[in-house]
Amino acid sequence: MKEKFYITTPIYYPSNKMTLGNAYTTIVCDALARFNRKQGKDVLYLTGTDEHGQKISQSASALGKSEKQFLDEMVEDTKDLWKLLDISYDKFIRTTDEYHEKAVQKIFAKLYEKGYIYKGSYKGWYCTPCESFWTESQLVNGKCPDCGREVKFQEEEAYFFKLSEFSDKLLKLYEQHPEFLQPKSRVNEMVNNFIKPGLNDLCVSRTSVKWGVPVDFDPKHTIYVWIDALPNYITALGWGSDDDSLFKKYWPADVHVIGKEIVRFHAIVWPAILMALGIELPHVVFGHGWLMFGGDKLSKSKKTNEHECIDPRILAPRYSADAIRYFLYREIPFGYDGNYSTEAFLTRFNADLSNNFGNLVSRTFSMVKKYFNSIIPESYDLTEDDLYLKDYALNEAKEVFKHMEKFDLTKATASVFNIFTEANTYIQKVQPWAVAKTGDEKRLKTILRLLLETIRIGSELFEPFAPVSSRKVLNALGLDNKTFTNLDNINGLENGKELGSLDILFPRLDINAELESLSKLG
Ligand code: ME8
């Protein structure tokens, strides 16, 4: 049986259109999903939307729409965006899907029966127009952080989850499974900021929120936020339904990829819920950093999102999804915060995609065309220069796998580009055009074959990150393999086969002209 790999994004709030920030996580997971598929694994890549709560109702009514109509439109926009960015998710869950709502009610009831959920009362600062509770520390100058109006201290009946009982078990989990929470620095954050000061029980129901899943045995309550959202990772697999075959096959998740601001919920609350239910824990929770723009976190509610120059819906058709994807993997050190700037994006586009990868492919293909009518030449004796490039490429290929094992997409893409850079250096060194003049056909054939093989290896490895351009190159090389093949040798191409034609992969940009035209957009 094939090894399985189950990967998830957070389920995003569709209270507003998805940003490049949400796209970031989805793009990251896509490379991991594609890489694992290319390793021959049976991959399930889950994403979706978190559709309950006051914010959704407010966003819908502000537009004069019902929640359902508003959500359907948002989900359509989200799915269109994922398509535009070549996201290869296998399943999309909506928390308003009936099977999810039923399974969440079942979880709530089960936790209640087992004594992990009890009835108490919730105290906080209530903003009547926003219908939202806030804690003291969330208030801004003593007023509602959303609308700035007066708040009043209020108490309401609510159910609580006994999170406080799980401190020791969680500490033991981090100790026994150091791989559970990554990057490592997040473990100290959890232990020092939350577990050591003492975990509070978690409020898991509200009577004031109408747009939510009702507690079936006490329907004036709706199930609040995390206990509705987190279980999506198991309900999507059919947990709690008549058909739980996917759950049996794919659970536990191999990795939940999330932003750092929700690590607390995934590394504390989620394992506690699973322990309480007696369900196995996910293998890894990876909390990546934030994508920043002009010093601010990119977020749905912030003005930065209104800049069209960072709207992936504008960027992708203009520069290709591959280019956006590559930039994010390469430029934002995976696991840490990183800046998005249009200038850095355009610069990388030219330097890496156009001048390095694109140029390597186009000059090699045009030499094979010029000297050998586009027929893939055979290889003869390798010189020292050839052996150096060969070993270099095969070694970097191994490095890519090591980095991916550690979820280090930034280093993985850097290793792929080391291969392209080295191949370009090799061309300058061995000067095939000069060899052509000497009439040494065997030598010329060997050089060009080695270059084609190096391009093959690089493109194979690049495919999970930049699927469209890499696949074009692989197809032009006559390959239609789905899984990684021949990454430990330079015999992956067929002698005598004709190369397919290739357009320019990444046409070089006039950076100043692009900056000017983008600045007019937003
Ligand atoms: O938190 N940089 O939904 P959400 C990096 N529904 N990642 C970013 C980002 C940025 N600037 N902005 C958003 C929720 N993200 C809950 C999750 S899961 C059971 C429930 C990504 O719409 C990142 O993955 O606010 C972050 O965790 C997520 O979007 C937040 O999405």
Side-chain angles (χ1 to χ4, degrees), residues 318-361:
R318 226 177 141 115
Y319 304 109
S320 79
D322 277 8
I324 301 172
R325 295 168 59 114
Y326 170 68
F327 178 82
L328 296 175
Y329 302 128
R330 184 71 197 269
E331 190 88 10
I332 316 300
F334 192 57
Y336 304 92
D337 292 356
N339 236 349
Y340 180 86
S341 95
T342 312
E343 204 161 355
F345 169 66
L346 298 172
T347 305
R348 271 228 183 259
F349 184 103
N350 270 357
D352 294 7
L353 295 172
S354 182
N355 293 355
N356 192 347
F357 176 46
N359 197 29
L360 170 69
V361 174

Side-chain angles (χ1 to χ4, degrees), residues 224-286:
Y224 190 64
V225 185
W226 292 100
I227 218 148
D228 170 20
L230 290 163
N232 89 86
Y233 303 127
I234 59 171
T235 64
L237 302 179
W239 183 91
S241 78
D242 295 338
D243 180 5
D244 65 353
S245 52
L246 289 178
F247 177 76
K248 289 202 175 102
K249 183 167 174 189
Y250 290 104
W251 191 257
D254 292 271
V255 58
H256 292 315
V257 181
I258 52 168
K260 65 179 182 182
E261 79 291 351
I262 53 175
V263 165
R264 176 155 70 105
F265 298 99
H266 285 77
I268 293 180
V269 179
W270 182 223
I273 294 174
L274 289 169
M275 286 173 191
L277 290 169
I279 297 176
E280 261 189 279
L281 305 187
H283 293 312
V284 175
V285 169
F286 196 105

Side-chain angles (χ1 to χ4, degrees), residues 9-14 18-25 50 226 229-233 257-262 266 288-292 297-300:
T9 70
I11 44 170
Y12 307 112
Y13 292 124
M18 297 302 146
T19 66
L20 193 61
N22 304 116
Y24 175 65
T25 315
D50 189 356
W226 292 100
L230 290 163
N232 89 86
Y233 303 127
V257 181
I258 52 168
K260 65 179 182 182
E261 79 291 351
I262 53 175
H266 285 77
H288 64 63
W290 284 344
L291 190 58
M292 317 284 282
K297 180 191 172 211
L298 263 173
S299 108
K300 283 192 208 93

Side-chain angles (χ1 to χ4, degrees), residues 176-240:
Q176 290 178 343
H177 295 279
E179 76 291 349
F180 173 76
L181 179 55
Q182 299 186 37
K184 269 208 173 76
S185 55
R186 309 251 178 256
V187 177
N188 291 338
E189 263 171 64
M190 292 304 115
V191 174
N192 296 334
N193 300 350
F194 301 108
I195 301 182
K196 285 221 171 118
L199 292 171
N200 293 324
D201 288 350
L202 186 74
C203 178
V204 290
S205 85
R206 288 291 159 88
T207 52
S208 55
V209 176
K210 297 288 168 263
W211 184 248
V213 183
V215 174
D216 50 2
F217 56 86
D218 193 354
K220 68 174 186 294
H221 288 263
T222 53
I223 298 173
Y224 190 64
V225 185
W226 292 100
I227 218 148
D228 170 20
L230 290 163
N232 89 86
Y233 303 127
I234 59 171
T235 64
L237 302 179
W239 183 91

